[in-house]
Short mmCIF file of all heavy atoms in Angstrom, two decimals:
data_model
loop_
_atom_site.label_atom_id
_atom_site.label_comp_id
_atom_site.label_asym_id
_atom_site.label_seq_id
_atom_site.Cartn_x
_atom_site.Cartn_y
_atom_site.Cartn_z
N LEU A 100 197.06 37.87 128.89
CA LEU A 100 197.70 37.49 127.62
C LEU A 100 197.77 35.97 127.48
O LEU A 100 197.55 35.41 126.40
CB LEU A 100 199.12 38.09 127.55
CG LEU A 100 199.92 37.77 126.29
CD1 LEU A 100 199.27 38.41 125.04
CD2 LEU A 100 201.37 38.24 126.40
N PHE A 130 202.12 32.67 127.56
CA PHE A 130 201.95 32.82 126.11
C PHE A 130 203.31 32.53 125.49
O PHE A 130 204.26 33.28 125.73
CB PHE A 130 201.52 34.26 125.87
CG PHE A 130 201.19 34.67 124.47
CD1 PHE A 130 199.92 34.45 123.95
CD2 PHE A 130 202.12 35.35 123.68
CE1 PHE A 130 199.58 34.89 122.67
CE2 PHE A 130 201.79 35.80 122.40
CZ PHE A 130 200.52 35.56 121.90
N LEU A 132 205.30 32.29 122.28
CA LEU A 132 205.36 32.58 120.85
C LEU A 132 206.81 32.66 120.37
O LEU A 132 207.19 32.01 119.39
CB LEU A 132 204.64 33.91 120.58
CG LEU A 132 204.53 34.41 119.14
CD1 LEU A 132 203.59 33.51 118.34
CD2 LEU A 132 203.98 35.84 119.09
N SER A 133 207.63 33.45 121.07
CA SER A 133 208.99 33.75 120.59
C SER A 133 209.90 32.53 120.61
O SER A 133 209.77 31.65 121.47
CB SER A 133 209.63 34.83 121.45
OG SER A 133 208.89 36.01 121.34
N GLY A 138 211.39 36.06 116.74
CA GLY A 138 210.76 36.92 117.73
C GLY A 138 209.85 37.90 117.01
O GLY A 138 208.63 37.78 117.03
N SER A 139 210.49 38.84 116.29
CA SER A 139 209.71 39.80 115.52
C SER A 139 209.09 39.15 114.29
O SER A 139 207.97 39.46 113.90
CB SER A 139 210.60 40.96 115.07
OG SER A 139 211.02 41.69 116.19
N ASP A 140 209.85 38.23 113.67
CA ASP A 140 209.35 37.55 112.47
C ASP A 140 208.67 36.25 112.88
O ASP A 140 209.24 35.17 112.79
CB ASP A 140 210.53 37.29 111.52
CG ASP A 140 210.07 36.69 110.20
OD1 ASP A 140 208.84 36.53 110.01
OD2 ASP A 140 210.93 36.36 109.37
N VAL A 141 207.41 36.39 113.32
CA VAL A 141 206.68 35.26 113.89
C VAL A 141 206.57 34.10 112.89
O VAL A 141 206.69 32.92 113.24
CB VAL A 141 205.26 35.71 114.30
CG1 VAL A 141 204.42 34.53 114.77
CG2 VAL A 141 205.34 36.76 115.39
N ALA A 142 206.36 34.44 111.61
CA ALA A 142 206.12 33.40 110.61
C ALA A 142 207.35 32.52 110.39
O ALA A 142 207.27 31.47 109.76
CB ALA A 142 205.70 34.05 109.29
N TRP A 164 212.27 33.63 126.04
CA TRP A 164 211.73 34.88 126.57
C TRP A 164 210.29 34.68 127.01
O TRP A 164 209.47 35.57 126.85
CB TRP A 164 211.79 36.03 125.54
CG TRP A 164 213.14 36.22 124.95
CD1 TRP A 164 213.50 35.96 123.67
CD2 TRP A 164 214.31 36.70 125.60
NE1 TRP A 164 214.84 36.22 123.49
CE2 TRP A 164 215.35 36.69 124.67
CE3 TRP A 164 214.60 37.13 126.91
CZ2 TRP A 164 216.64 37.09 124.98
CZ3 TRP A 164 215.88 37.53 127.21
CH2 TRP A 164 216.88 37.51 126.25
N ALA A 186 203.17 32.23 107.43
CA ALA A 186 202.19 32.60 108.45
C ALA A 186 200.93 31.73 108.42
O ALA A 186 200.24 31.60 109.42
CB ALA A 186 201.80 34.07 108.29
N ARG A 187 200.63 31.13 107.26
CA ARG A 187 199.37 30.37 107.17
C ARG A 187 199.51 28.92 107.61
O ARG A 187 198.55 28.15 107.51
CB ARG A 187 198.86 30.40 105.74
CG ARG A 187 198.38 31.79 105.36
CD ARG A 187 197.84 31.79 103.97
NE ARG A 187 197.44 33.14 103.60
CZ ARG A 187 196.90 33.44 102.45
NH1 ARG A 187 196.68 32.50 101.56
NH2 ARG A 187 196.56 34.69 102.18
N PHE A 238 198.65 32.02 113.42
CA PHE A 238 199.17 33.39 113.25
C PHE A 238 198.06 34.40 113.52
O PHE A 238 198.26 35.39 114.22
CB PHE A 238 199.71 33.56 111.82
CG PHE A 238 200.49 34.83 111.62
CD1 PHE A 238 201.85 34.89 111.86
CD2 PHE A 238 199.87 35.99 111.18
CE1 PHE A 238 202.58 36.06 111.69
CE2 PHE A 238 200.57 37.17 110.99
CZ PHE A 238 201.94 37.20 111.25
N LYS A 239 196.89 34.12 113.00
CA LYS A 239 195.74 35.01 113.23
C LYS A 239 195.41 35.08 114.73
O LYS A 239 195.14 36.15 115.28
CB LYS A 239 194.53 34.51 112.43
CG LYS A 239 193.39 35.48 112.38
CD LYS A 239 192.27 34.97 111.49
CE LYS A 239 191.36 34.05 112.28
NZ LYS A 239 190.23 33.51 111.53
N VAL A 240 195.44 33.92 115.38
CA VAL A 240 195.15 33.86 116.82
C VAL A 240 196.15 34.75 117.57
O VAL A 240 195.77 35.56 118.43
CB VAL A 240 195.24 32.39 117.34
CG1 VAL A 240 195.20 32.34 118.86
CG2 VAL A 240 194.13 31.54 116.74
N MET A 242 198.05 37.26 116.39
CA MET A 242 197.96 38.69 116.04
C MET A 242 196.70 39.33 116.63
O MET A 242 196.74 40.47 117.10
CB MET A 242 197.97 38.88 114.52
CG MET A 242 199.29 38.54 113.89
SD MET A 242 200.63 39.54 114.54
CE MET A 242 201.88 38.32 114.79
N ALA A 243 195.59 38.60 116.61
CA ALA A 243 194.35 39.17 117.16
C ALA A 243 194.50 39.36 118.68
O ALA A 243 193.99 40.33 119.25
CB ALA A 243 193.17 38.27 116.84
N LEU A 245 197.36 39.93 120.20
CA LEU A 245 198.26 41.08 120.38
C LEU A 245 197.54 42.40 120.09
O LEU A 245 197.85 43.43 120.69
CB LEU A 245 199.51 40.93 119.50
CG LEU A 245 200.46 39.79 119.95
CD1 LEU A 245 201.60 39.60 118.95
CD2 LEU A 245 201.04 40.05 121.33
N ASP A 246 196.56 42.37 119.18
CA ASP A 246 195.77 43.59 118.92
C ASP A 246 195.12 44.10 120.21
O ASP A 246 194.99 45.29 120.42
CB ASP A 246 194.64 43.29 117.91
CG ASP A 246 195.05 43.60 116.47
OD1 ASP A 246 196.23 43.95 116.26
OD2 ASP A 246 194.19 43.47 115.58
N ARG A 249 198.45 44.73 123.01
CA ARG A 249 199.46 45.77 122.76
C ARG A 249 199.05 47.11 123.37
O ARG A 249 199.88 47.84 123.88
CB ARG A 249 199.71 45.92 121.26
CG ARG A 249 200.69 44.91 120.75
CD ARG A 249 200.98 45.05 119.29
NE ARG A 249 201.96 44.05 118.88
CZ ARG A 249 202.07 43.57 117.66
NH1 ARG A 249 201.28 44.01 116.70
NH2 ARG A 249 202.99 42.67 117.38
N ARG A 318 189.28 45.00 113.98
CA ARG A 318 190.74 45.10 114.11
C ARG A 318 191.13 46.49 114.57
O ARG A 318 190.57 47.48 114.11
CB ARG A 318 191.42 44.82 112.76
CG ARG A 318 191.22 43.42 112.29
CD ARG A 318 192.44 42.61 111.93
NE ARG A 318 193.67 43.21 111.55
CZ ARG A 318 194.40 42.77 110.52
NH1 ARG A 318 193.95 41.81 109.75
NH2 ARG A 318 195.57 43.30 110.28
N THR A 320 194.55 47.16 114.71
CA THR A 320 195.98 46.92 114.53
C THR A 320 196.78 48.23 114.54
O THR A 320 197.79 48.36 115.22
CB THR A 320 196.18 46.16 113.19
OG1 THR A 320 195.33 45.01 113.23
CG2 THR A 320 197.60 45.74 112.99
N ILE A 368 210.46 46.51 123.74
CA ILE A 368 210.88 45.34 122.95
C ILE A 368 209.78 44.27 122.90
O ILE A 368 209.42 43.78 121.83
CB ILE A 368 212.17 44.74 123.54
CG1 ILE A 368 213.30 45.78 123.51
CG2 ILE A 368 212.57 43.48 122.78
CD1 ILE A 368 214.54 45.39 124.29
N TYR A 369 209.22 43.91 124.08
CA TYR A 369 208.32 42.75 124.04
C TYR A 369 206.95 43.07 123.42
O TYR A 369 206.57 44.23 123.33
CB TYR A 369 208.21 42.07 125.42
CG TYR A 369 207.41 42.75 126.52
CD1 TYR A 369 206.06 43.03 126.38
CD2 TYR A 369 208.01 43.02 127.75
CE1 TYR A 369 205.32 43.58 127.41
CE2 TYR A 369 207.28 43.59 128.79
CZ TYR A 369 205.94 43.87 128.61
OH TYR A 369 205.21 44.42 129.63
N GLU A 370 206.26 42.01 123.00
CA GLU A 370 204.97 42.13 122.28
C GLU A 370 205.07 43.04 121.06
O GLU A 370 204.17 43.82 120.76
CB GLU A 370 203.85 42.57 123.21
CG GLU A 370 203.40 41.40 124.08
CD GLU A 370 202.24 41.73 124.99
OE1 GLU A 370 201.24 42.29 124.49
OE2 GLU A 370 202.34 41.40 126.19
N GLY A 371 206.20 42.94 120.36
CA GLY A 371 206.40 43.73 119.14
C GLY A 371 207.24 44.95 119.46
O GLY A 371 206.75 45.92 120.04
N ALA A 372 208.53 44.88 119.07
CA ALA A 372 209.44 46.01 119.31
C ALA A 372 208.94 47.25 118.55
O ALA A 372 208.15 47.14 117.61
CB ALA A 372 210.84 45.63 118.84
N VAL A 375 208.94 46.97 114.92
CA VAL A 375 207.84 46.17 114.36
C VAL A 375 206.57 47.01 114.31
O VAL A 375 205.81 46.97 113.32
CB VAL A 375 207.61 44.88 115.19
CG1 VAL A 375 206.30 44.21 114.80
CG2 VAL A 375 208.76 43.92 115.01
N GLN A 376 206.33 47.80 115.35
CA GLN A 376 205.11 48.63 115.36
C GLN A 376 205.14 49.60 114.18
O GLN A 376 204.12 49.90 113.57
CB GLN A 376 204.97 49.42 116.67
CG GLN A 376 205.04 48.58 117.95
CD GLN A 376 204.11 47.38 117.96
OE1 GLN A 376 203.11 47.34 117.26
NE2 GLN A 376 204.46 46.39 118.74
N ILE A 378 206.52 49.06 111.28
CA ILE A 378 206.16 48.28 110.08
C ILE A 378 204.64 48.10 110.04
O ILE A 378 204.00 48.30 109.01
CB ILE A 378 206.85 46.89 110.11
CG1 ILE A 378 208.37 47.02 110.02
CG2 ILE A 378 206.31 45.99 109.00
CD1 ILE A 378 209.12 45.71 110.26
N VAL A 379 204.08 47.73 111.19
CA VAL A 379 202.64 47.46 111.26
C VAL A 379 201.84 48.73 110.91
O VAL A 379 200.91 48.69 110.08
CB VAL A 379 202.26 46.95 112.67
CG1 VAL A 379 200.75 46.89 112.85
CG2 VAL A 379 202.88 45.58 112.94
N ARG A 382 202.20 49.64 107.17
CA ARG A 382 201.42 48.73 106.31
C ARG A 382 199.94 49.08 106.35
O ARG A 382 199.25 49.06 105.34
CB ARG A 382 201.56 47.30 106.81
CG ARG A 382 202.82 46.62 106.40
CD ARG A 382 202.68 45.19 106.89
NE ARG A 382 203.85 44.43 106.59
CZ ARG A 382 203.94 43.12 106.82
NH1 ARG A 382 202.92 42.48 107.34
NH2 ARG A 382 205.01 42.47 106.53
N GLU A 383 199.44 49.35 107.55
CA GLU A 383 198.01 49.63 107.70
C GLU A 383 197.62 50.91 106.96
O GLU A 383 196.61 50.95 106.27
CB GLU A 383 197.64 49.75 109.18
CG GLU A 383 197.71 48.45 109.95
CD GLU A 383 196.73 47.39 109.45
OE1 GLU A 383 195.54 47.72 109.27
OE2 GLU A 383 197.17 46.24 109.23
N LYS A 386 197.76 50.38 103.22
CA LYS A 386 196.59 49.60 102.78
C LYS A 386 195.38 50.53 102.64
O LYS A 386 194.63 50.47 101.68
CB LYS A 386 196.27 48.52 103.82
CG LYS A 386 196.55 47.10 103.33
CD LYS A 386 195.95 46.07 104.27
CE LYS A 386 196.79 45.81 105.50
NZ LYS A 386 196.21 44.98 106.53
N1 COS B 1 194.59 40.28 113.27
C1 COS B 1 194.13 39.25 112.54
N2 COS B 1 194.82 38.76 111.47
C2 COS B 1 196.01 39.31 111.17
C3 COS B 1 196.54 40.41 111.91
C4 COS B 1 195.77 40.89 113.00
N3 COS B 1 196.21 41.90 113.74
N4 COS B 1 197.73 40.75 111.35
C5 COS B 1 197.93 39.94 110.32
N5 COS B 1 196.89 39.07 110.20
C6 COS B 1 196.72 38.05 109.17
C7 COS B 1 196.83 38.74 107.81
O1 COS B 1 195.60 39.25 107.38
C8 COS B 1 197.32 37.61 106.94
O2 COS B 1 196.22 36.77 106.61
P1 COS B 1 196.03 36.27 105.07
O3 COS B 1 197.26 35.48 104.79
O4 COS B 1 194.78 35.46 105.14
O5 COS B 1 195.92 37.54 104.27
C9 COS B 1 198.21 36.78 107.86
O6 COS B 1 197.78 37.12 109.19
C10 COS B 1 199.68 37.09 107.66
O7 COS B 1 199.90 38.49 107.88
P2 COS B 1 201.19 39.24 107.31
O8 COS B 1 201.34 38.96 105.85
O9 COS B 1 201.11 40.66 107.75
O10 COS B 1 202.39 38.45 108.07
P3 COS B 1 203.88 38.86 108.27
O11 COS B 1 204.64 37.62 108.56
O12 COS B 1 204.37 39.69 107.14
O13 COS B 1 203.77 39.74 109.60
C11 COS B 1 204.61 41.24 111.30
C12 COS B 1 204.83 40.54 109.98
C13 COS B 1 205.88 42.02 111.59
C14 COS B 1 203.44 42.20 111.22
C15 COS B 1 204.29 40.20 112.41
O14 COS B 1 205.20 39.12 112.33
C16 COS B 1 204.40 40.77 113.82
O15 COS B 1 203.51 41.49 114.32
N6 COS B 1 205.52 40.48 114.50
C17 COS B 1 205.76 40.88 115.88
C18 COS B 1 205.29 39.81 116.77
C19 COS B 1 205.56 40.08 118.16
O16 COS B 1 204.88 40.88 118.74
N7 COS B 1 206.57 39.37 118.72
C20 COS B 1 206.92 39.51 120.09
C21 COS B 1 206.64 38.25 120.82
S1 COS B 1 205.08 38.19 121.55
S2 COS B 1 205.46 38.53 123.41
#
Side-chain angles (χ1 to χ4, degrees):
L100 180 66
F130 184 85
L132 182 69
S133 297
S139 293
D140 185 3
V141 175
W164 308 111
R187 291 182 182 182
F238 191 89
K239 191 176 85 179
V240 169
M242 291 301 135
L245 291 174
D246 266 4
R249 276 181 179 154
R318 295 233 336 224
T320 307
I368 300 170
Y369 74 60
E370 284 183 49
V375 168
Q376 307 309 337
I378 295 171
V379 170
R382 280 185 182 186
E383 291 297 312
K386 250 192 279 172

